[in-house]
Structures are given as C-alpha cells and as structure tokens.
Amino acid sequence: MKTNIINSPKVIQERKRLDKNNVFKEFVLDESYKNLGKDKTYYLYTYGCQGNESDSEKIRGLLEEMSFTITYDLSKADLILMNTCAIRKNAEDKVFGELGRLKQLKRKNPNLIIGLSGCMAQEESVINKLLTKYQNVDFIFGTHNIDSLPKILYNTMSNIERYVDVLSYEGDIVENIPIVRESNIKAWVPIMYGCDEFCTYCIVPYTRGKERSRLKENIIKEVEGLIKEGYKEITLLGQNVNAYGKDFVGFKYDFGDLLNDLSKLGIERIRFTTNNPKDFDDKQIEAIKNSSNIMPSIHLPVQSGSNKVLHKMNRKYTKEEFISLVDKIYKEIPNVSITTDIIVGFPSETEEDFKETLDLFKRCNFEGAYTFIFSKREGTPAYSYIDESITEEVQYDRLYRLNELVNEGYKRGNLRFKDKIVKVLIEGTSKNQPDTLMGYTENNKLVNIKGDSKYIGKIVNVKIVDAKTWSLDGEIIDDQN
Ligand code: 5AD
Ligand code: SF4
C-alpha cells in the first residue's frame, strides 16, 4: 500500500517557537464531504487529559457532520479512530497494545479504516514505528489540524492509500468546528491551546505547540450558547490557564479579566484547569473570591517539594514561593479545596528531596493529588538525565509512601463536609448502583445520594451523612429545584 506523507512531525521543529501572530479561522465543511459517512459507523477511543476529551468532542462533531454514526461495538465499526495521549510511556503502551489487537479485526474486515490522532501522532519516533510495524493504521493526523480530518478521511477512503498529515508547527486557531458533547450538563470550554513552559520532563510543549489563546468574544459566544442550551457547569481548559492572553499582541486581556467576564454571564458553575503556580496572580484570586459561580476548587500542580528538583524540572518557582501562594489562596478564599500533581523519582531526587515533598504535601493541606512515577519522554531534556540510584524499587516505594499521605488528604478533605449542607450538581446515577444518584459539590467532592432521577441536571441542597476516602454519602434536603 502506498503511503502519502503530506506532513510529518520533527522534534527539532516542534521545539521552535515561530514569532508569528495567531491566525484565527472559521471552519466550513466542504459540501463534497457531507455524505462520506452515510450508512457507516465509527468507534472512537479517547485517551489522556481533558484537552483530549474536548478534542474528541470535535472529532465526533466532524464525523457526524459527515454523516457517520457512532457505534459502541468495536466489531461493527467501519471506521476506528484512536485519539491518543503521550504524557507517559504507559499511556503509549496501551495504544500500541490495542492497535495490535485491532490487526485481527482488520484481517476479518479489510475495508475497516483505522486512524490515529492526538499527542502520540506528534511524536517523530511514534510515526516511524507506526509506518513500519503497524500497517493496519490507514491515516494519522496531529493535534494542530483536527479541522483537516474531513479532507484526510476523504483522501484515505477514495485513494486506498495511507495518509500522514501531522504539522510540527502550531496550527491556526480554528473556530466553529462542530462539537458533539458527551454531557448535556457540564461542558469543556478550551480557552487556549499549547504550552510554552518547557518543564524538562514534559512532552506537551512539543505535542501541543506554542501557547495561543482564543479570543474572548469567541469564548463568551460559546458560553452564552451553552447557557441557552441549559448547561449548568463549564470547565475552562488550557495547559496553563493562568497564562491565558499573554500571547495577545496589541491589546491586554488576561485570565483574571476572562474569569470576571464569564462569571457575569450567569452560568451556575465555572471551573478551570490546569494551573501553573508561576502565573497564578492576585487578580485571578480576587475573581474567584468575589464570584459565587467560580468554584472554590483549585488544582495547583507542584510536582516536587525540593528546590533542587524544581530547578532541574525548570518549574520557575521555589518551594517557598509555592507555599506563599497557597497561603494567600487559603487566606483569600477560606472555603477552598486545593489539589495537586506530584512526580516521584525524577533524576537526582534523593530520599531527603522526597521527604521535602512529603512535608510540603502536609504543609499545604492538599485534599488530593495525581501522583506519578517519572517517565522518560524522547525529545525532552530529562530524557538524557541519568540517575542510577533511582531504581524501580525506589520509585514504587516513594509512590506508595506518597499515596498513603494523599489518601489521608482525600479523607481529610471529605471529612470537612460531614454533617454540613452542600450544593451538589446531580450528574446521573452511580455506575454500580442504578438507584443511587451521583454528583459533585462546589469543592469538587463526589457525593452519592439515594434519590429520584428527576434531580439529574439540577443543583440541590444535600446533607452529608458520611465521609469516606473517595466519596461522600448525602441526603437531599430540599425539593425547591
Ligand atoms: N513523567 C511523569 N509524570 C509526568 N507528568 C507530565 N509529564 C510527566 C512525565 N514525563 C505529570 C505532571 C503533570 C501531569 C499532567 O502529568 O505531574 O502535571
Ligand atoms: Fe496527554 Fe498531555 Fe496530550 Fe493531554 S496534552 S493528551 S495529557 S500528552
């Protein structure tokens, strides 16, 4: 089979930041693609972060505009698309494992089309591996050109050729891509793409490109539309939402401004993720403090409690600066819950450094954390950091000890609400118990409640009767909604 490489990613180019202004475009679907998926079904895998979930909602939107219908039965799909994540090696291993299994399906159904997108598609080494060892993948596109999916799919389906179209440089900001959202209660709203931080362990600046912010008018229009459709909650997305607007040329408008403007639109709940401590400023803290619809729940990744390790990670803040930010947030927003991300086993991390991380966790009263063992990512500076003292045993031992503390943090965070009355946005029924409703409090705590399905999609007052490590149990106390 012929392989048509339109564009292929190069790490050297991905590292570069072109000094060009953002280009804003409106998506229009070419008429000739509208019936391409008639009588055809698609199955979509989504791996990774909320950014990828949001991208998948656009992929669904594009496919359904092209008349494809979703299927949840892999064996019935005419098109299988994998929207992948590259953040850690195990995320990639999962995808390669699944692609291996798909070879069988393709053998049974040679007309099956398999596509791969997302962060793995941006990796030079992954493309090389796919081209040589995974002949079952028919087309590949990256994170910068989701809007090209119709064209790539059309070319793949009409020419029976493999297509690779992955841009190394950040694409334009394309508005108006159709979206099929997973929920009709909560919505993702990307406010910016890419990342300019270059933490030494992280692949995101390479896979997602330069930091570029959406214009405020487009974000506001999207949120107004969501309010009209009855959405109760939005989560603003970006790799570093605190840096929103820093790329604007000729005018000033930042994340604090955006929070203030969005809060005035009157959506019931606003959340945002993820934050970078170095760009979290007083205006943003004020906005959260003064707006009852901006939720008091902040995810503030610290990564390590040792200044030496933070420096090697290129995090651009010290432990002391981080603590003073956390203290300020607690002082200004007294009811807030703060969670974090931590990496253990980063090269050069000694037992003493790790103990500083444990101390920092206690000092900051975190109410939860995502914890990770350092994973080497090709193309990043830390790929070549070598530290033989950190064996797998040391890594797992540190992760285990940290997680003990993190679990206590979850429990402590939940216990705060025992016997209190809290507002819960009811999202649906619990996975394991269909007679139990589930939802989240303003502080983002999961609550299980016995109750009628008429409450789904509503914000109700709930009395917390029990606090466990991972969830709360509650009883609905008012019927006003
Ligand atoms: N290894 C382990 N964890 C990582 N993260 C990012 N890159 C790596 C890596 N190479 C973690 C960070 C980040 C979260 C999204 O993933 O903690 O905040
Ligand atoms: Fe994974 Fe990062 Fe890409 Fe999200 S942005 S899919 S976490 S590599």
Side-chain angles (χ1 to χ4, degrees):
M1 187 168 49
K2 193 177 156 223
T3 300
N4 227 315
I5 301 183
I6 311 293
N7 293 292
S8 169
K10 295 276 168 289
V11 176
I12 292 174
Q13 286 174 2
E14 286 179 333
R15 194 170 299 157
K16 283 189 192 148
R17 290 293 181 262
L18 294 182
D19 207 10
K20 71 172 177 67
N21 291 348
N22 296 336
V23 177
F24 299 94
K25 282 198 314 207
E26 290 280 311
F27 174 82
V28 184
L29 183 67
D30 193 304
E31 279 295 323
S32 53
Y33 303 149
K34 283 199 171 147
N35 286 320
L36 197 68
K38 202 163 171 289
D39 303 323
K40 290 194 162 51
T41 57
Y42 73 94
Y43 184 100
L44 178 61
Y45 288 88
T46 306
Y47 298 92
C49 65
Q50 293 98 332
N52 245 25
E53 286 181 26
S54 168
D55 284 350
S56 276
E57 294 185 337
K58 289 184 183 149
I59 290 173
R60 285 193 61 185
L62 288 167
L63 291 174
E64 297 196 9
E65 282 288 279
M66 295 165 79
S67 307
F68 283 93
T69 312
I70 195 159
T71 173
Y72 297 98
D73 180 349
L74 199 55
S75 65
K76 297 230 166 73
D78 299 297
L79 166 68
I80 296 176
L81 226 163
M82 294 185 130
N83 193 16
T84 64
C85 170
I87 195 103
R88 281 169 292 275
K89 185 171 177 297
N90 55 8
E92 289 191 9
D93 290 346
K94 258 193 242 164
V95 170
F96 282 120
E98 201 58 26
L99 275 178
R101 273 189 288 280
L102 292 185
K103 282 183 183 167
Q104 259 190 345
L105 275 184
K106 187 105 174 180
R107 241 174 264 135
K108 273 193 218 147
N109 173 12
N111 292 328
L112 173 65
I113 292 181
I114 300 179
L116 189 137
S117 64
C119 288
M120 273 172 75
Q122 294 294 146
E123 289 181 277
E124 206 174 326
S125 56
V126 168
I127 297 286
N128 294 338
K129 189 165 165 181
L130 288 172
L131 290 180
T132 49
K133 298 211 179 101
Y134 292 84
Q135 294 290 332
N136 58 337
V137 177
D138 299 290
F139 69 98
I140 304 169
F141 66 100
T143 57
H144 301 308
N145 57 337
I146 291 181
D147 57 309
S148 320
L149 170 62
K151 189 175 94 206
I152 297 169
L153 203 47
Y154 178 83
N155 286 341
T156 309
M157 286 168 77
S158 46
N159 294 338
I160 326 173
E161 282 175 350
R162 296 179 97 190
Y163 262 82
V164 179
D165 193 357
V166 180
L167 307 173
S168 294
Y169 292 125
E170 51 282 354
D172 309 324
I173 296 189
V174 189
E175 295 291 346
N176 225 16
I177 297 182
I179 303 178
V180 174
R181 296 187 194 268
E182 279 297 315
S183 157
N184 52 12
I185 301 168
K186 324 199 284 187
W188 307 121
V189 178
I191 60 168
M192 63 197 300
Y193 306 100
C195 179
D196 279 350
E197 291 308 323
F198 290 96
C199 301
T200 53
Y201 51 81
C202 190
I203 200 163
V204 174
Y206 308 86
T207 62
R208 294 267 168 183
K210 187 185 105 160
E211 216 159 76
R212 49 215 193 278
S213 305
R214 285 177 75 194
L215 291 176
K216 128 192 181 186
E217 294 75 18
N218 292 324
I219 299 171
I220 289 181
K221 199 164 89 188
E222 181 171 348
V223 175
E224 283 173 340
L226 290 166
I227 296 173
K228 270 202 201 107
E229 286 175 56
Y231 279 83
K232 293 286 191 308
E233 180 177 302
I234 54 166
T235 302
L236 309 176
L237 294 181
Q239 292 301 332
N240 173 6
V241 290
N242 316 91
Y244 169 81
K246 291 200 169 167
D247 53 319
F248 290 146
V249 181
F251 65 100
K252 274 194 167 27
Y253 186 79
D254 59 25
F255 187 51
D257 298 324
L258 183 69
L259 283 176
N260 284 322
D261 283 344
L262 291 180
S263 126
K264 284 186 214 129
L265 299 179
I267 183 113
E268 306 252 13
R269 288 180 163 197
I270 299 175
R271 299 188 189 278
F272 49 91
T273 196
T274 188
N275 297 284
N276 190 317
K278 84 176 232 306
D279 292 311
F280 213 121
D281 65 25
D282 290 352
K283 200 197 228 174
Q284 298 166 21
I285 297 178
E286 277 293 298
I288 303 165
K289 174 183 173 178
N290 295 331
S291 317
S292 59
N293 58 351
I294 303 181
M295 295 297 103
S297 155
I298 299 176
H299 188 66
L300 198 62
V302 64
Q303 313 299 358
S304 167
S306 146
N307 281 335
K308 182 193 82 195
V309 175
L310 285 172
H311 184 70
K312 271 209 104 133
M313 288 176 162
N314 192 28
R315 287 294 286 177
K316 304 180 196 120
Y317 54 82
T318 61
K319 168 171 87 173
E320 292 73 23
E321 284 163 343
F322 185 85
I323 290 175
S324 83
L325 171 65
V326 165
D327 285 349
K328 199 185 321 174
I329 294 175
Y330 279 128
K331 181 163 164 275
E332 296 298 325
I333 315 165
N335 183 37
V336 75
S337 296
I338 308 181
T339 51
T340 195
D341 287 349
I342 293 170
I343 298 176
V344 299
F346 190 74
S348 87
E349 183 190 69
T350 60
E351 175 63 21
E352 284 315 305
D353 294 318
F354 174 65
K355 283 197 179 123
E356 284 193 69
T357 301
L358 296 179
D359 288 343
L360 183 85
F361 191 92
K362 289 184 219 154
R363 170 68 178 76
C364 293
N365 273 313
F366 291 125
E367 294 182 12
Y370 295 119
T371 56
F372 310 101
I373 288 175
F374 167 66
S375 172
K376 273 180 171 228
R377 308 313 294 129
E378 205 173 329
T380 64
Y383 187 71
S384 54
Y385 297 175
I386 292 164
D387 185 344
E388 273 154 18
S389 70
I390 304 176
T391 58
E392 208 174 289
E393 198 185 339
V394 170
Q395 289 176 328
Y396 278 97
D397 174 62
R398 288 185 191 161
L399 186 70
Y400 180 83
R401 282 152 66 203
L402 175 62
N403 282 345
E404 298 252 286
L405 206 57
V406 170
N407 295 349
E408 282 171 29
Y410 277 109
K411 177 94 191 198
R412 176 172 29 78
N414 279 342
L415 274 172
R416 272 175 64 194
F417 297 96
K418 176 111 200 290
D419 300 324
K420 299 253 163 56
I421 292 167
V422 292
K423 289 199 181 307
V424 179
L425 171 56
I426 309 286
E427 289 181 20
T429 52
S430 152
K431 260 189 219 139
N432 310 325
Q433 298 150 285
D435 63 332
T436 304
L437 301 172
M438 56 73 66
Y440 287 86
T441 69
E442 297 193 328
N443 290 54
N444 212 20
K445 311 288 178 192
L446 172 64
V447 192
N448 292 311
I449 308 155
K450 290 265 178 284
D452 193 283
S453 60
K454 72 177 182 195
Y455 291 111
I456 294 174
K458 304 214 158 100
I459 294 174
V460 289
N461 285 327
V462 170
K463 169 130 192 234
I464 301 303
V465 293
D466 196 10
K468 302 172 183 155
T469 301
W470 309 116
S471 64
L472 300 166
D473 286 339
E475 287 166 2
I476 292 178
I477 59 159
D478 79 3
D479 207 4
Q480 303 305 305
N481 289 284

